[in-house]
């Protein structure tokens, strides 16, 4: 299963991925590869894992010290050789971190490396979950082949739902090969869903479910505690379980 999320910054993408992983683990579904393709990487913390050197970080280090490149190897070959450093191997989860280019750099090279890494790795895992950046700038058919589940995460505002609709359109125009696409409305208060329904319908994204405002989620985040350690009764944890059951993942 290849699952990817997209959405504006701060909508809850990382939270959703971490809680989905929590449920997959509870259901004994492993091995899992988590891919943090958000330049503002924070998935490691949500999973309680060490953050590996990012792909962008490896490139940066090689660029800054070319003397380390062995004689007879090109820079590209050497970067490819060092890519294994971008994979943190945990007990049940492995984590691959893309990182962002320093300054207004180009993503193309990092993307190509991410794609190459993914191609090499995906077949070793039962589940691959990809936390994408706010936009879809770095997504292409080539980085996200055969996505089975694509979740666009939105906050519970009209503006948020409209940007979710734009993300769906963007994904369409990029001709991404997406299996099932869904909308998730996060940080919803009672009544929000009903109020937002007209806007949600316009997106033509089926609503997978809503996730309520959950003070525990914010508290864990604030104290850098892994979301995997959230109690099963926490409202957000329960909501994500129901949502995953609804779409047939659990
Ligand atoms: N359902 C929720 N209830 C309360 N706080 C939430 C909820 N979902 C996310 N948050 C908080 O909102 C912030 C952004 O969430 P995050 O998952 O990091 O967003 P993204 O990955 O899309 O940038 C974090 O501080 C997180 O703890
Ligand atoms: Mg995030």
């Amino acid at each position: 299963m290849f699952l990817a999320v997209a959405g504006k910054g701060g909508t809850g993408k990382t939270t959703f991925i971490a809680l989905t992983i929590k449920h997959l683990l509870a259901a004994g579904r492993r091995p899992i590869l988590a891919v943090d393709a958000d330049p503002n990487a924070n998935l490691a913390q949500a999973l309680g894992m060490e953050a590996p050197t990012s792909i962008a970080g490896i490139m940066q280090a090689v660029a800054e010290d070319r003397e380390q490149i062995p004689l007879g190897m090109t820079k590209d070959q050497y970067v490819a050789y060092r890519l294994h450093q971008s994979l943190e191997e945990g007990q049940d989860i492995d984590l691959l971190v893309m990182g962002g280019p320093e300054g207004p750099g180009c993503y193309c090279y990092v993307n190509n490396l991410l794609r190459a890494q993914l191609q090499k790795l995906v077949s070793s895992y039962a589940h691959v979950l990809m936390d994408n950046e706010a936009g879809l700038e770095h997504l292409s058919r080539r980085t996200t082949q055969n996505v089975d589940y694509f979740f666009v995460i939105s906050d519970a505002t009209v503006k948020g739902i409209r940007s979710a609709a734009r993300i769906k359109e963007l994904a369409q125009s990029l001709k991404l090969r997406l299996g099932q696409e869904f909308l998730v409305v996060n940080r919803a208060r009672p009544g929000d869903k009903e109020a937002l329904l007209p806007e949600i319908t316009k997106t033509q994204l089926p609503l997978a479910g809503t996730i309520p405002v959950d003070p525990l989620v914010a508290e864990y985040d604030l104290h850098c505690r892994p979301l995997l350690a959230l109690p099963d009764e926490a409202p957000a944890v329960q909501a994500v379980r129901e949502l995953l059951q609804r779409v047939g993942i659990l």
Side-chain angles (χ1 to χ4, degrees):
M1 179 193 76
F2 198 133
L3 181 158
V5 300
K8 279 197 335 188
T11 49
K13 299 179 294 293
T14 301
T15 304
F16 180 72
I17 289 267
L19 294 181
T20 299
I21 288 178
K22 179 176 167 65
H23 290 301
L24 290 175
L25 288 177
R29 307 262 290 270
R30 43 177 77 88
I32 292 175
L33 175 65
V35 184
D36 195 343
D38 188 331
N40 301 305
N42 61 351
L43 186 57
Q45 184 199 309
L47 299 175
M49 293 177 73
E50 284 290 321
T53 313
S54 68
I55 292 176
I58 291 170
M59 281 174 51
Q60 181 87 16
V62 171
E64 276 166 12
D65 182 13
R66 285 175 169 263
E67 307 223 320
Q68 61 188 309
I69 304 175
L71 226 61
M73 246 194 204
T74 66
K75 180 183 151 227
D76 290 358
Q77 284 169 336
Y78 186 58
V79 168
Y81 158 77
R82 285 190 48 178
L83 270 187
H84 64 270
Q85 288 182 319
S86 60
L87 185 73
E88 173 73 18
E89 295 180 79
Q91 203 167 13
D92 303 306
I93 316 162
D94 290 354
L95 174 66
L96 180 66
V97 175
M98 179 182 83
E102 294 278 311
C106 163
Y107 277 110
C108 322
Y109 192 53
V110 185
N111 283 337
N112 287 342
L113 291 171
L114 176 66
R115 187 186 79 230
Q117 267 306 73
L118 278 176
Q119 264 168 2
K120 229 188 314 173
L121 291 171
V122 284
S123 59
S124 313
Y125 298 88
H127 303 87
V128 180
L129 296 95
M130 193 164 171
D131 189 355
N132 288 294
E133 72 170 320
L136 291 182
E137 287 89 345
H138 82 281
L139 275 189
S140 73
R141 287 174 65 177
R142 305 190 303 176
T143 32
T144 49
Q145 254 171 5
N146 308 324
V147 175
D148 301 306
Y149 295 96
F150 184 67
F151 290 94
V152 184
I153 318 289
S154 171
D155 55 20
T157 65
V158 169
K159 236 170 119 180
I161 307 285
R162 286 185 184 158
S163 15
R166 279 196 296 277
I167 289 173
K168 178 200 155 75
E169 283 161 21
L170 184 57
Q172 236 157 14
S173 68
L174 291 174
K175 298 199 164 52
L176 301 178
R177 267 176 265 160
L178 306 173
Q180 304 193 59
E181 297 171 65
F182 294 102
L183 177 69
V184 174
V185 176
N186 185 25
R187 271 197 238 103
R189 281 165 302 252
D192 281 355
K193 180 179 144 186
E194 292 68 24
L196 290 168
L197 224 43
E199 222 39 67
I200 292 173
T201 310
K202 278 192 225 160
T203 67
Q204 296 187 3
L205 280 166
L207 180 67
T210 60
I211 304 170
V213 179
D214 187 337
L216 262 191
V217 169
E219 193 186 311
Y220 271 51
D221 192 68
L222 195 62
H223 296 105
C224 298
R225 293 182 65 185
L227 298 179
L228 296 187
L230 277 168
D232 289 340
E233 318 80 70
V237 176
Q238 283 189 14
V240 172
R241 185 199 296 116
E242 282 160 25
L243 186 158
L244 294 174
Q245 284 167 344
R246 198 172 299 127
V247 301
I249 292 178
L250 277 186

